[in-house]
Amino acid sequence: SQTIHQWPATLVQPVGSPLSLECTVEGTSNPNLYWYRQAAGRGLQLLFYSVGIGQISSEVPQNLSASRPQDRQFILSSKKLLLSDSGFYLCAWSTSKGRPEQFFGPGTRLTVL
Amino acid sequence: AQSVAQPEDQVNVAEGNPLTVKCTYSVSGNPYLFWYVQYPNRGLQFLLKYITGDNLVKGSYGFEAEFNKSQTSFHLKKPSALVSDSALYFCAVRDKGFQKLVFGTGTRLLVSP
């Protein structure tokens, strides 16, 4: 069966510090991968998605970037965090063929102080 | 553009009573519709989907959803609510041309004992 991992689970960072959040998927190959941000426990904002290694599409221009160095690894980064980057970050995957539903990881709670 | 609307911020229901969480959609072409549930500080869990076929879709944890093409609705239902069903529920539609999902703003379900 497939599983998706995210780490760290929680993170408190000062303004201006760098960020690296990691997501890995097990039990499938060539997944589509997604990064979402959820602010204030409500709506989901799609940040990035990827259909393959090195292929990243950005949905919203911002202070963040994403990379996919391996087939089942997706990384969310920032060089300098802003207060507005605080939120709950969710990684998700879906199959590249067949079922359209996405499956989500447990999330990372980021607080920027 | 594809979109979904969840008109209720919160739904309150007593344990044992039936529950309905509303969702309406706007799509071009055939809709692919989804329901997810989110418990506090957790990722989203997939409940069910409608792709084609029977208008009544059964999913996890006793939930079901009714697809109504004429009313462009996809309401989530459960015959008998449990306190443990209290959570945040998201309706989603697949975006045209890719496996991106467009999420509603979420409805908080509160089931009282």
Side-chain angles (χ1 to χ4, degrees):
Chain A
S1 64
Q2 300 87 6
T3 55
I4 178 169
H5 304 278
Q6 286 187 245
W7 63 88
T10 60
L11 191 59
V12 179
Q13 291 285 93
V15 169
S17 64
L19 173 73
S20 181
L21 303 181
E22 189 165 343
C23 170
T24 58
V25 181
E26 296 177 354
T28 188
S29 59
N30 195 30
N32 297 320
L33 296 172
Y34 310 84
W35 277 112
Y36 291 87
R37 177 168 59 203
Q38 186 178 29
R42 195 54 79 123
L44 291 166
Q45 180 185 35
L46 179 62
L47 302 175
F48 302 95
Y49 64 91
S50 171
V51 300
I53 296 173
Q55 300 179 63
I56 309 294
S57 295
S58 174
E59 287 292 294
V60 181
Q62 57 205 313
N63 186 41
L64 301 169
S65 62
S67 62
R68 185 170 176 173
Q70 301 180 42
D71 181 45
R72 290 168 290 173
Q73 185 184 31
F74 205 24
I75 297 173
L76 184 69
S77 304
S78 173
K79 293 182 179 178
K80 288 187 178 182
L81 282 169
L82 306 172
L83 286 173
S84 58
D85 291 324
S86 293
F88 193 48
Y89 288 83
L90 292 160
C91 182
W93 73 274
S94 67
T95 60
S96 54
K97 298 179 182 179
R99 300 188 302 174
E101 60 267 30
Q102 295 177 14
F103 300 95
F104 285 77
T108 294
R109 173 75 58 191
L110 173 65
T111 303
V112 182
L113 302 175
Chain B
Q2 322 288 70
S3 65
V4 291
Q6 295 182 243
E8 304 155 315
D9 279 347
Q10 182 162 313
V11 170
N12 298 306
V13 64
E15 188 174 32
N17 284 358
L19 70 87
T20 299
V21 183
K22 295 180 180 178
C23 173
T24 58
Y25 65 89
S26 175
V27 302
S28 56
N30 295 323
Y32 285 22
L33 296 160
F34 308 84
W35 276 103
Y36 286 82
V37 61
Q38 185 182 32
Y39 296 97
N41 295 311
R42 299 288 185 88
L44 276 68
Q45 294 180 34
F46 171 70
L47 281 179
L48 51 80
K49 67 183 177 188
Y50 173 82
I51 304 296
T52 187
D54 287 343
N55 290 341
L56 186 64
V57 179
K58 294 190 182 296
S60 305
Y61 313 119
F63 284 94
E64 57 190 25
E66 186 171 9
F67 172 68
N68 188 316
K69 188 173 183 178
S70 62
Q71 297 185 7
T72 62
S73 66
F74 189 55
H75 300 332
L76 182 70
K77 300 183 179 185
K78 187 173 182 181
S80 179
L82 300 172
V83 173
S84 57
D85 292 330
S86 299
L88 187 57
Y89 290 81
F90 289 96
C91 182
V93 63
R94 191 179 85 163
D95 202 7
K96 195 175 180 183
F98 185 63
Q99 288 192 4
K100 290 191 295 181
L101 297 183
V102 177
F103 286 87
T105 52
T107 298
R108 194 166 302 281
L109 174 66
L110 183 59
V111 182
S112 54

